[in-house]
Amino acid sequence: SIALARFTAVLPLPVARRLGRVLGRLAYYTVPRVRSVCLQNLDHAYGDSIGTAEKRRIAREAAENVGIVAAEFSRVPSVDAKTVASMVTVNGLEHVKHGCFMIGAHLGNWEWIAPALAANGVKIAEVVRPLDDPRFNTFVDQTRTCHGVRTIAKERSGPEILRLLREEWVVGALVDQSPREAALPVTFFGKPCLATVAPAMVALRAKAPIIAITILREADGRYTMTISPPIDMARTGDLRRDLLDITQRCQDCIE
């Protein structure tokens, strides 16, 4: 994986993207779990509203996108103000306030969110799950933090998140995966599932607003970053009720 990243780093960006697309498509056809999990999720999301052929196309292109993200990851050190100005259209930057919690999903090129915000002068920290391979984890972490971005290990991250919010950092996390712990029951695309309670807990304890962000790849290869206004949150004083309500609102936004 490190060798692939170093190889794609020296390729022209269009060539690196084509290579990533090919590798993603190869994974779709050769790794059964990649295909089956994606199609199962599409069944949950769309039911019978779209046909099997369309679901297969979306699944294949989703796998290709993961390959492109992997190929573009080596470009994170070059995502500076000049690159962002030429390649990323940013909408809603005025919603990014000091000391807010930012949620996102695995859409477009999520690895460029933090450096793109850092290039716009935002003090950004991201909650991450450390990788199993120590050498690869070190490589990935050094790449992610090259623009002054901070990373926070997911396990027992609460005190660090609260400290950084008090210091007026923006802290972000991707919340579209089923957590192993600290979860609450919600509905997502009409199906019951579990979602992380972290954004709601942080918002209540730190009195921090929650915003959502996406960065999507356009047909011309540029990106559009869209940042939402703060998510409406009711604070009734009933802790469990408020945690459930805010967590569901976060998942509705991501959906």
Side-chain angles (χ1 to χ4, degrees), residues 116-149:
L117 287 174
N120 278 281
V122 177
K123 293 196 304 182
I124 180 74
E126 54 185 3
V127 181
V128 300
R129 186 183 72 81
L131 303 174
D132 295 332
D133 184 302
R135 184 165 173 262
F136 188 48
N137 184 68
T138 298
F139 170 79
V140 169
D141 195 64
Q142 288 175 345
T143 303
R144 284 173 170 162
T145 57
C146 64
H147 292 292
V149 174

Side-chain angles (χ1 to χ4, degrees), residues 233-245:
M233 293 185 291
R235 292 182 172 91
T236 67
D238 182 329
L239 179 60
R240 178 167 177 80
R241 178 179 174 183
D242 289 349
L243 289 174
L244 283 166
D245 179 72

Side-chain angles (χ1 to χ4, degrees), residues 162-177:
L162 293 172
R163 182 182 69 80
L164 290 174
L165 289 174
R166 286 194 297 268
E167 295 175 4
E168 299 191 328
W169 285 70
V170 174
V171 180
L174 301 181
V175 298
D176 60 330
Q177 291 180 313

Side-chain angles (χ1 to χ4, degrees), residues 12-245:
L13 182 57
V15 177
R17 283 174 166 171
R18 285 198 292 272
L19 175 61
R21 186 186 298 274
V22 169
L23 293 175
R25 180 173 290 203
L26 184 64
Y28 174 80
Y29 285 114
T30 61
V31 183
R33 187 174 182 277
V34 170
R35 185 169 60 254
S36 63
V37 169
C38 194
L39 290 172
Q40 183 181 35
N41 287 336
L42 288 167
D43 284 337
H44 287 320
Y46 289 101
D48 296 330
S49 64
I50 63 175
T52 300
E54 178 69 359
K55 290 174 184 174
R56 287 176 177 168
R57 181 191 66 79
I58 295 172
R60 183 179 66 251
E61 292 187 1
E64 291 173 357
N65 181 64
V66 173
I68 296 171
V69 172
E72 289 181 328
F73 181 72
S74 60
R75 294 298 206 287
V76 166
S78 68
V79 183
D80 53 15
K82 182 179 178 181
T83 300
V84 171
S86 64
M87 289 193 64
V88 183
T89 299
V90 181
N91 300 318
L93 189 61
E94 68 274 12
H95 300 309
V96 181
K97 306 296 183 182
H98 298 306
C100 71
F101 195 89
M102 183 176 66
I103 61 172
H106 292 83
L107 296 170
N109 187 351
W110 58 90
E111 290 289 355
W112 279 25
I113 291 175
L117 287 174
N120 278 281
V122 177
K123 293 196 304 182
I124 180 74
E126 54 185 3
V127 181
V128 300
R129 186 183 72 81
L131 303 174
D132 295 332
D133 184 302
R135 184 165 173 262
F136 188 48
N137 184 68
T138 298
F139 170 79
V140 169
D141 195 64
Q142 288 175 345
T143 303
R144 284 173 170 162
T145 57
C146 64
H147 292 292
V149 174
R150 291 197 184 183
T151 55
I152 308 169
K154 185 176 180 179
E155 187 175 358
R156 291 187 288 275
S157 59
E160 179 72 359
I161 292 173
L162 293 172
R163 182 182 69 80
L164 290 174
L165 289 174
R166 286 194 297 268
E167 295 175 4
E168 299 191 328
W169 285 70
V170 174
V171 180
L174 301 181
V175 298
D176 60 330
Q177 291 180 313
S178 181
R180 298 175 183 175
E181 55 187 21
L184 285 176
V186 296
T187 59
F188 190 68
F189 282 96
K191 302 290 183 180
C193 65
L194 295 175
T196 176
V197 72
M201 183 66 76
V202 167
L204 291 174
R205 291 192 62 181
K207 295 182 172 58
I210 301 175
I211 59 175
I213 188 166
T214 61
I215 181 167
L216 303 181
R217 191 180 308 107
E218 305 293 349
D220 63 0
R222 288 173 47 84
Y223 283 102
T224 298
M225 177 184 286
T226 304
I227 304 162
S228 78
I231 295 172
D232 289 334
M233 293 185 291
R235 292 182 172 91
T236 67
D238 182 329
L239 179 60
R240 178 167 177 80
R241 178 179 174 183
D242 289 349
L243 289 174
L244 283 166
D245 179 72

